[in-house]
């Protein structure tokens, strides 16, 4: 059973993550992860079959920072806004051991993409499967796996899901 304080912190983590991504505050994105944290974007078909292939696999906070540099400095794309709609997280497990508190959780998401001169469309939908650690700075992702439902995705996913 999870206490209210821990669950509220989990809700805040999910909400703050979405707001950083939606407001394009890219420098803050890596700070949601521990140093060894991973971020992966994987099609549901591969996830369900236990296949490791991901569209994007960042294997450390340093790689996540490098992605931020790429988003800001080197990638050319038509600008767009995005808006995350994230469901209420469900805690799959909560453990405490010598290394501290560890939460495994999941939540559904949808990401709406709006081009400045165009319509809003659902660009990605799926679920997050997360492992979260309690650190002195609060809850941080040890791993964030974004499992997207459709094999048909936009020809480029620039911003974090």
């Amino acid at each position: 059973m999870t206490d209210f304080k821990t669950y509220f912190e989990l809700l805040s983590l999910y909400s703050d993550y979405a707001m950083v991504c939606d407001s394009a505050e890219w420098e803050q994105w890596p700070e949601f992860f521990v140093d060894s944290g991973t971020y992966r974007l994987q099609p549901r078909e591969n996830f369900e079959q236990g296949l490791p292939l991901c569209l994007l696999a960042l294997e450390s906070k340093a790689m996540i920072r490098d992605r931020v540099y790429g988003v800001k400095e080197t990638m050319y794309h038509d600008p767009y806004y995005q808006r995350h709609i994230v469901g209420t997280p469900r805690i799959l497990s909560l453990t405490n051991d010598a290394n501290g508190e560890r939460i495994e959780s999941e939540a559904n998401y949808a990401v709406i993409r709006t081009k400045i001169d165009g319509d809003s469309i659902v660009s990605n939908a799926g679920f997050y499967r997360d492992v979260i650690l309690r650190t002195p700075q609060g809850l941080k992702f040890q791993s964030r796996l974004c499992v997207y439902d459709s094999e048909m995705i936009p020809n480029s996913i620039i911003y974090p899901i």
Side-chain angles (χ1 to χ4, degrees):
M1 183 91 186
T2 306
D3 63 89
F4 178 78
K5 180 181 179 297
T6 299
Y7 193 72
F8 183 77
E9 289 174 305
L10 181 65
L11 287 171
S12 295
L13 177 69
Y14 276 71
S15 176
D16 292 345
Y17 178 95
M19 287 308 296
V20 161
C21 292
D22 292 346
S23 60
E25 296 175 8
W26 307 126
E27 296 82 9
Q28 292 183 34
W29 181 48
E31 301 312 312
F32 286 93
F33 296 84
V34 297
D35 288 342
S36 62
T38 63
Y39 173 85
R40 293 186 177 101
L41 186 56
Q42 184 178 42
R44 185 174 184 164
E45 180 180 22
N46 288 5
F47 175 79
E48 288 177 347
Q49 294 181 31
L51 301 172
L53 185 64
C54 295
L55 179 65
L56 182 64
L58 306 176
E59 300 298 325
S60 69
K61 189 174 184 177
M63 287 182 77
I64 295 168
R65 283 190 182 116
D66 187 60
R67 180 68 179 192
V68 168
Y69 177 80
V71 167
K72 289 181 59 187
E73 305 294 334
T74 65
M75 294 179 184
Y76 175 76
H77 61 89
D78 286 339
Y80 62 89
Y81 302 112
Q82 67 179 12
R83 181 73 48 211
H84 285 71
I85 300 167
V86 181
T88 305
R90 182 171 72 111
I91 294 177
L92 304 174
S93 73
L94 175 65
T95 56
N96 284 295
D97 59 23
N99 297 320
E101 186 176 51
R102 178 184 173 176
I103 301 169
E104 292 184 32
S105 61
E106 67 180 11
N108 294 326
Y109 72 83
V111 179
I112 311 295
R113 179 185 283 189
T114 307
K115 291 205 174 182
I116 293 169
D117 61 349
D119 294 332
S120 296
I121 61 163
V122 176
S123 69
N124 199 283
F127 65 92
Y128 297 123
R129 179 70 55 91
D130 299 315
V131 176
I132 299 161
L133 302 178
R134 181 170 300 286
T135 73
Q137 295 78 34
L139 297 181
K140 303 277 184 179
F141 293 108
Q142 180 179 25
S143 66
R144 169 149 267 198
L145 175 61
C146 309
V147 179
Y148 58 92
D149 290 334
S150 176
E151 289 297 309
M152 299 298 292
I153 60 171
N155 62 0
S156 64
I157 294 183
I158 307 295
Y159 304 145
I161 297 295

